[in-house]
Structures are given as C-alpha cells and as structure tokens.
C-alpha cells in the first residue's frame, strides 16, 4: 500500500526555540540540547522507515520555524504546493525559504493571500480521496476557500471541520490508514468523519499532563507504525487491536512550544 508520504521537509531547531509562541513555555522552559536530541531521534526513525529527508538550516529569527508542517501544504501527486499565510502574525515570513526549494523540485507554487489565513496543521490528508480542513483560530474561511480552489480535483472531496478546541485540527484528528481516523474526544462532531472508522481517543497523550482533555499527539509514518509519547501503553495496546504498532519517542521539549512530532515534518502528500 502506498504511504501518505515518502518524503518530508524538516528544519533544524533554532537556538531561539525557547521564545516560541506557547502557553506552556513560561512554566516549562525549553532544554535546547534535549530538543536537539529529540529532533535527531525523530529523523533517525523516519530514515529507518525509508522516508526521504530534506533538512533545512534553522531560522533564528523565527523561534517556531522548526514546526515546518505549518508553512505549506504540498501535493506530491498534483505537483502543486501552497504556501501558508499564518494566522499567527509572528510566524509570517518563515515560509519564504520553501518557495525556491519547491520550485526547484518541480512544483507549481502559490500562496494564500490575505485576508485569508491557512496553516498546514489544519490540513489532514487521507488516502481515501478526502481531505479535512480545520476552520480554527489559525485558519479562516477565506484561506480554506483559496486552498480548496488551488487543489480542486474531481477525485478529491474537501470537508471543512470547524473546531475551537485546538489551534490546529491535527492536534485532535489524525488519519492512519485503512480508513482509520484517531479522533480526540471533544475535537469536532464525528458527523464530519462519516464513512471512516473512528478510533475515539479519550486520553491526553501529552508527555506532561498540564492540560485537560484528549489530545492526539501522534504521528503515523506508514507500514502500520505510529509514533507515540512514552507512558501511553494503554492506547498503544488499543492501536494494536487494529493492527498498528507503537514506536515510543519523547517530545517534551516541543510540547513545551505547543507542538508535536507531526508539526516537525512537512510531508509531500502522495494523495494530493
């Protein structure tokens, strides 16, 4: 079975990471050497699974730029890529280095135009001809309309999912494969995911339980393998019932910046 992606862009953490936009970092300061180790371990796992890595140098001007997922949405099948216009003003500009890179890779590249806002963390791509787009505090209706127009295709259905639970819908909605979706309880009405096999998540997968409610901090990397934070053995066992294998990886330093594994990669989506 074709994976959702076989190639990703990543960006090394900046030394300014501790100045990220986050409600947690004032209480839980970032340990930068530890963040580097966690980042490198993720890269090691991805490479071991045969995923091609394009690694960018850090952008010290932008503390959140390690979360490269938000900077664009890349359709590997269509050879089209759309640069974000951030809903978070402090991040505007960090997407610019992707322009020349993606053009050199043969992509037609456009960008979201204001007043539209769209961040990549609000896009959940599946292998079933369905793309979910979150309408959130970071992504507005105008941005969603531009996104759908840009990637419009006869064999893709776009589903807009409103949610005020997270800054990005992907914190509560994660597609695996074989029609399975992990849906964190309280993220959005399950009606939006009709036709999919929902695995309801009722627990907080965060490495530090400083927040309430279920949170789907996980990354599906294909071959029925799911990266999870340590200490979530019960959910790992539940995933096993559906034929998925858990790989445990600490990401505490990126959680402090309100991010997770999925935020650290910019996939080249094979079904977009």
């Amino acid at each position: 079975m074709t994976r959702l992606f076989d190639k990703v862009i990543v960006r090394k953490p900046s030394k300014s990471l501790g100045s990220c936009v986050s409600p947690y970092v004032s209480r839980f300061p970032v340990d930068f050497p530890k963040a580097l180790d966690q980042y490198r371990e993720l890269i090691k796992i991805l490479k071991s699974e045969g995923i091609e890595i394009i690694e960018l140098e850090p952008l010290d001007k932008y503390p959140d730029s390690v979360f490269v997922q938000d900077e664009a949405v890349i359709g590997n099948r269509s050879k089209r890529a759309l640069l974000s216009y951030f809903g978070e003003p402090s991040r505007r500009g960090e997407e610019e280095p992707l322009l020349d890179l993606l053009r050199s890779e043969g992509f037609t590249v456009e960008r979201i135009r204001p007043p539209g806002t769209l961040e990549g963390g609000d896009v959940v791509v599946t292998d079933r001809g369905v793309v979910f787009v979150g309408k959130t505090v970071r992504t507005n209706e105008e941005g969603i309309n531009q996104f759908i127009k840009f990637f419009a295709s006869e064999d893709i259905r776009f589903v807009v999912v409103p949610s005020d639970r997270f800054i990005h819908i992907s914190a509560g909605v994660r597609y695996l494969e074989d029609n399975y979706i992990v849906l964190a309880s309280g993220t959005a009405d399950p009606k939006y995911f009709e036709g999919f096999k929902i695995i309801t998540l009722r627990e907080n997968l965060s490495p530090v339980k400083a927040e309430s409610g279920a949170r789907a901090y996980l990354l599906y990397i294909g071959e029925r393998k799911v990266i999870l934070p340590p200490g979530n053995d019960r959910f790992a066992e539940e995933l096993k019932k559906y034929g998925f294998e858990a790989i445990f990886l600490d990401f505490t330093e990126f959680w402090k910046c309100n991010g997770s594994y999925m935020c650290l990669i910019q996939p080249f989506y094979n079904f977009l």
Side-chain angles (χ1 to χ4, degrees):
M1 179 179 289
T2 302
R3 284 190 292 212
L4 285 176
F5 54 86
D6 297 292
K7 182 177 182 177
V8 299
I9 297 170
V10 299
R11 181 181 281 116
K12 296 175 183 176
S14 163
K15 291 181 180 178
S16 63
L17 181 63
S19 299
C20 58
V21 179
S22 170
Y24 311 121
V25 74
S26 61
R27 290 179 290 158
F28 304 98
V30 172
D31 181 331
F32 185 70
K34 188 175 180 181
L36 276 177
D37 288 342
Q38 291 173 356
Y39 166 83
R40 289 167 180 155
E41 188 60 28
L42 174 62
I43 301 305
K44 181 179 176 181
I45 291 171
L46 295 176
K47 286 183 175 179
S48 73
E49 294 299 318
I51 294 172
E52 183 181 348
I53 307 289
I54 298 176
E55 187 174 48
L56 305 180
E57 291 303 310
L59 295 175
D60 290 338
K61 182 180 177 181
Y62 298 101
D64 294 273
S65 57
V66 68
F67 302 127
V68 69
Q69 172 190 235
D70 299 326
E71 297 178 1
V73 181
I74 302 172
N76 199 40
R77 187 186 68 169
S78 63
K79 292 299 176 185
R80 294 171 71 79
L82 188 61
L83 299 186
S84 300
Y85 186 74
F86 281 95
E88 167 52 50
S90 68
R91 298 190 64 183
R92 292 172 187 165
E94 69 180 61
E95 75 283 357
E96 290 302 323
L98 294 186
L99 180 62
D100 290 340
L101 169 62
L102 290 169
R103 283 178 174 166
S104 73
E105 293 276 328
F107 286 83
T108 297
V109 185
E110 295 292 346
R111 62 177 76 236
I112 295 291
R113 305 288 180 178
T117 62
L118 182 133
E119 300 188 3
D122 275 318
V123 176
V124 178
V125 177
T126 77
D127 57 7
R128 300 288 163 145
V130 178
V131 174
F132 298 100
V133 190
K135 184 180 178 182
T136 67
V137 67
R138 297 287 184 87
T139 294
N140 66 19
E141 185 173 357
E142 173 60 25
I144 292 170
N145 290 340
Q146 292 180 37
F147 171 81
I148 292 174
K149 183 178 180 180
F150 183 73
F151 283 110
S153 172
E154 290 184 357
D155 58 355
I156 296 179
R157 179 167 62 94
F158 297 92
V159 178
V160 179
V161 182
S163 178
D164 57 6
R165 175 82 194 283
F166 303 109
I167 60 171
H168 295 134
I169 197 75
S170 60
V173 180
R174 299 304 301 167
Y175 183 73
L176 305 182
E177 70 171 52
D178 196 23
N179 222 31
Y180 282 106
I181 277 184
V182 175
L183 177 61
S185 178
T187 300
D189 193 321
K191 71 180 183 182
Y192 294 107
F193 310 99
E194 185 177 352
F196 287 84
K197 295 179 279 191
I198 295 177
I199 303 174
T200 301
L201 175 66
R202 304 187 186 282
E203 57 208 89
N204 183 356
L205 299 183
S206 301
V208 181
K209 310 305 182 186
E211 56 212 341
S212 61
R215 292 167 186 265
Y217 290 147
L218 57 89
L219 173 62
Y220 185 66
I221 56 174
E223 306 297 330
R224 304 193 79 83
K225 295 178 181 178
V226 183
I227 299 178
L228 292 177
N232 289 292
D233 294 349
R234 196 210 65 79
F235 189 65
E237 285 299 312
E238 183 173 354
L239 288 175
K240 190 175 181 180
K241 295 176 185 176
Y242 299 100
F244 296 101
E245 173 190 350
I247 300 172
F248 292 107
L249 175 63
D250 186 16
F251 78 102
T252 45
E253 303 316 301
F254 298 104
W255 168 85
K256 293 173 182 178
C257 284
N258 211 13
S260 182
Y261 322 105
M262 66 268 192
C263 308
L264 297 173
I265 66 170
Q266 173 58 250
F268 288 63
Y269 287 113
N270 290 325
F271 296 91
L272 185 64

